[in-house]
Amino acid sequence: MIGNLETFQDELAASGFPPLVNKLAGADFRGRIVTSDLGPLRLFSLDTPESACIGRERDAADGENLAVKVMARGRTRIEQGRGDAELGPADLVLLDPTRTLRFESTAAAHVTVLVPRRELRIRPAQIDRLIGERIDGSHGPGALVSVLARESARAAAEFREAEALRSAAAFIELIAVALEARLGDRQPAPDERLRDRITGYIEVRLADPDLSPPGIAAAHHISVRRLHKLFEDQPLTVAALIRRRRLERCRAELTGSGRTVTAVAARWGFPDPTHFSKIFKTTYGYSPRALMTSNRARTTRTRTAGPAQDGAHQDSR
């Protein structure tokens, strides 16, 4: 437990949590923070006393992530955007760290998941409608997200890197399903249906070196201009979406396989290994070889530890 509000806030800020001002905190403040990572997700498991907090508007440059807040214990009222959510145990809400936020809470336990905005692939207009809206955590997709958030916060450290990446991808997809369900059961507009078909088409052809906007447009009997128009309000352009999904496949394979960087890059549409290494590092902050070296070191440590533990067990018999 942390018995000082300033220390608590400093630890949150150092971990990347959006800053908040707690107007009720006093000398008897007690709080707990546990931070963990699951692939590109950052999870914060918090225990907090009765609180009344304000989060000020932040620069758009801080908007790389959206936040999904899941209640485990206690009750919270949150105001952000046009939303005014009353949350009880298991409920969740989508928040934008760049926007003004107000909330009042009983003593509570909750998990906040920072999700890269680009990974959700939900249109900005839809995000605007979802911000600050309560999502029921007692049934349907919301219940699955609620349980998974709380379990992931407890167990994330136990995942190997390849497992973490794949689990995070599934978690993000489930969050997207819960958010889309909250939007309602309305029939998607024709453009949305076409864009969904195109996204699926891209996903199953990522290994095709000829995958490109002209070929995608031709396969769907539309012009390249029309294709780009379909994606103009999306987080990524068509070309950027292809590149991002290929990089994600490469990262997962480099973590979990013994193949070379050149072989993996070529398999997912990057014939020039030097160019691949450059954009990989720009995207993730480390090179493909650094990822492989780190993974080999962890594997070696695990294998080295295994016999020693077995030997110790045998000696004790």
Side-chain angles (χ1 to χ4, degrees):
M1 276 289 184
I2 299 172
N4 178 282
L5 176 62
E6 185 175 353
T7 301
F8 184 84
Q9 291 179 323
D10 286 346
E11 288 200 19
L12 282 179
S15 300
F17 196 88
L20 298 169
V21 176
N22 191 336
K23 298 189 295 183
L24 290 186
D28 59 346
F29 177 88
R30 294 289 184 275
R32 184 180 69 90
I33 308 168
V34 178
T35 305
S36 55
D37 292 320
L38 185 69
L41 305 177
R42 172 150 286 193
L43 300 99
F44 298 84
S45 182
L46 305 175
D47 285 303
T48 53
E50 183 180 4
S51 302
C53 295
I54 297 176
R56 301 296 184 187
E57 185 173 342
R58 301 171 69 193
D59 191 274
D62 296 320
E64 178 182 352
N65 296 312
L66 292 168
V68 177
K69 181 184 181 74
V70 178
M71 296 297 295
R73 172 174 48 81
R75 304 195 69 84
T76 296
R77 177 183 177 183
I78 293 181
E79 298 176 38
Q80 189 176 65
R82 291 170 287 184
D84 187 348
E86 296 272 359
L87 307 180
D91 290 340
L92 51 144
V93 64
L94 179 69
L95 302 172
D96 185 341
T98 67
R99 304 189 191 191
T100 299
L101 165 72
R102 293 180 176 83
F103 75 83
E104 298 177 357
S105 175
T106 65
H110 38 102
V111 174
T112 296
V113 184
L114 293 186
V115 186
R117 187 184 296 257
R118 65 176 181 270
E119 302 284 356
L120 281 175
R121 297 194 286 277
I122 294 178
R123 291 186 297 160
Q126 292 177 316
I127 288 175
D128 286 342
R129 289 171 53 193
L130 289 163
I131 292 297
E133 294 290 333
R134 172 182 172 269
I135 297 174
D136 191 341
S138 66
H139 67 276
L144 294 177
V145 172
S146 182
V147 171
L148 192 54
R150 287 174 282 159
E151 289 300 319
S152 296
R154 283 193 283 266
E158 301 171 11
F159 286 78
R160 298 173 184 171
E161 188 159 358
E163 294 169 341
L165 289 170
R166 294 177 65 185
S167 298
F171 193 0
I172 291 167
E173 185 63 26
L174 188 55
I175 290 171
V177 170
L179 294 176
E180 289 168 0
R182 183 64 179 81
L183 287 169
D185 296 327
R186 66 178 180 83
Q187 289 295 315
D191 281 0
E192 291 179 82
R193 290 198 296 268
L194 177 55
R195 185 169 50 246
D196 288 345
R197 287 203 303 273
I198 291 170
T199 301
Y201 178 92
I202 289 171
E203 193 68 27
V204 300
R205 290 169 175 81
L206 288 171
D208 181 356
D210 295 325
L211 184 66
S212 65
I216 294 168
H220 291 84
H221 310 291
I222 59 175
S223 68
V224 174
R225 181 177 179 181
R226 169 82 170 119
L227 175 66
H228 290 313
K229 184 77 173 174
L230 284 169
F231 282 81
E232 69 178 1
D233 64 347
Q234 297 297 293
L236 297 173
T237 65
V238 176
L241 175 61
I242 294 170
R243 183 171 60 249
R244 169 67 63 173
R245 295 297 295 131
R246 282 174 166 172
L247 285 170
E248 290 169 357
R249 294 291 183 91
C250 288
R251 184 170 67 165
E253 191 163 328
L254 287 168
T255 302
S257 77
R259 306 185 72 188
T260 66
V261 171
T262 299
V264 171
R267 167 175 163 76
W268 294 110
F270 297 103
D272 183 343
T274 301
H275 174 67
F276 166 70
S277 294
K278 182 177 179 180
I279 62 173
F280 189 98
K281 186 171 184 179
T282 299
T283 301
Y284 296 116
Y286 48 83
S287 70
R289 294 192 185 282
L291 173 61
M292 293 182 71
T293 300
S294 174
N295 187 58
R296 280 197 298 268
R298 277 192 298 273
T299 302
T300 300
R301 286 197 298 270
T302 301
R303 289 174 178 170
T304 302
Q309 292 169 349
D310 291 345
H313 183 69
Q314 290 168 1
D315 290 341
S316 66
R317 283 189 279 183

